[in-house]
Amino acid sequence: MRIGVFGGRFDPIHNGHLAVAKEVLKMGKADEVWLSIENQHQWRPIIAAANDRKKMAELAIDSITDVILSNAKDIYSSAMSQNDKNKIAVSPEAPRNDIQNNFKVDMTPVELGGTTETIQVVRQLRKKYPEHEFIFIVGSDQLPTFHKWSHWEDLKKEVQFLIVTRKGSPLDNIPKNASVITDPTYEPLDDSATRIREFLHVGTSISGLVPKAVEEYIKEHKLYQ
């Protein structure tokens, strides 16, 4: 299978992340999307523990239903009606649907330990799953810093990148080994984990920015306060 690896801090995972992952599947660029949880980031701190970020990613996947990929727009939009929100409520006991089965949480960076380096993740995934082909999914906001990634020259030779537009980040300086998703119906969200953490810190609601189950998990475990 062709696996789209979507690496990130997911601190916390939010609807912008899900919009990117769903777009990759909708456009047929990968058979599955794996949310790869970073252990440490090269430049930015990670607040929540790896196990918390893993659990939130799993809850986010469990919130996905078949109706999501059938819509051109992201129904997780903050403008979504309450009726739509009710449609996507998923019981913890409910069986996983076909769409959910196309998403997985990958803990390879955490298992490797230390600062997450994409080249190490690529090589470890190929070693663990030689039957799969891997591509790395990145938002267009990463384009200005691609050349700063560790072992960038080797990375360009070993893996293909798939660029998905992020709001406010133009498609400039695209590497030769990268392809771009171009879908006129895709509307990138401007959700930001930093903004969500700031909202939580001051007690502002994050309803509509993250799946309901993730919001409840954050409240229950008093994260980002």
Side-chain angles (χ1 to χ4, degrees):
M1 286 194 297
R2 196 170 199 217
I3 307 299
V5 181
F6 188 12
R9 292 174 295 166
F10 301 113
D11 195 22
I13 191 168
H14 54 71
N15 296 334
H17 293 133
L18 294 180
V20 169
K22 289 179 289 183
E23 181 68 11
V24 171
L25 284 185
K26 188 181 86 171
M27 296 299 292
K29 298 296 185 178
D31 300 303
E32 293 182 355
V33 171
W34 293 4
L35 304 176
S36 189
I37 309 294
E38 291 184 357
N39 186 54
Q40 297 176 8
H41 195 276
Q42 289 180 304
W43 310 300
R44 302 172 185 171
I46 294 177
I47 309 302
N51 285 339
D52 285 323
R53 291 180 288 123
K54 175 186 178 183
K55 182 61 179 178
M56 287 188 284
E58 291 171 342
L59 290 170
I61 291 173
D62 287 342
S63 74
I64 296 171
T65 62
D66 292 308
V67 68
I68 291 177
L69 287 182
S70 67
N71 290 342
K73 288 189 176 182
D74 189 337
I75 68 171
Y76 276 119
S77 165
S78 57
M80 179 176 63
S81 69
Q82 187 59 50
N83 285 338
D84 283 335
K85 290 181 181 179
N86 292 337
K87 288 178 184 178
I88 63 172
V90 179
S91 166
E93 292 77 27
R96 290 170 65 87
N97 59 45
D98 289 341
I99 297 301
Q100 290 168 338
N101 287 331
N102 290 331
F103 292 90
K104 291 182 173 59
V105 177
D106 172 58
M107 297 298 285
T108 298
V110 176
E111 294 165 2
L112 287 171
T115 300
T116 301
E117 293 188 355
T118 304
I119 191 71
Q120 295 175 348
V121 176
V122 168
R123 290 169 177 171
Q124 185 67 6
L125 285 172
R126 284 178 172 165
K127 181 179 178 180
K128 290 167 63 176
Y129 309 102
E131 70 277 18
H132 294 324
E133 175 188 357
F134 293 97
I135 58 173
F136 262 74
I137 303 164
V138 294
S140 57
D141 56 312
Q142 296 293 318
L143 291 174
T145 59
F146 258 179
H147 66 284
K148 296 182 180 179
W149 288 23
S150 298
H151 308 288
W152 169 239
E153 293 300 325
D154 291 332
L155 197 56
K156 288 192 295 184
K157 300 173 184 176
E158 294 195 28
V159 69
Q160 182 182 3
F161 285 92
L162 181 62
I163 312 297
V164 183
T165 303
R166 291 292 302 272
K167 185 170 286 188
S169 299
L171 292 169
D172 296 331
N173 302 315
I174 299 172
K176 291 182 179 180
N177 69 323
S179 59
V180 179
I181 285 183
T182 54
D183 175 11
T185 68
Y186 174 58
E187 296 184 9
L189 304 182
D190 59 0
D191 295 349
S192 159
T194 300
R195 182 166 66 109
I196 290 168
R197 292 195 302 271
E198 290 172 349
F199 281 2
L200 289 165
H201 184 68
V202 299
T204 301
S205 172
I206 60 169
S207 178
L209 299 179
V210 301
K212 184 65 176 177
V214 173
E215 181 182 3
E216 292 174 350
Y217 183 90
I218 290 171
K219 289 180 180 178
E220 179 184 351
H221 294 270
K222 298 179 172 59
L223 301 179
Y224 310 115
Q225 294 186 357

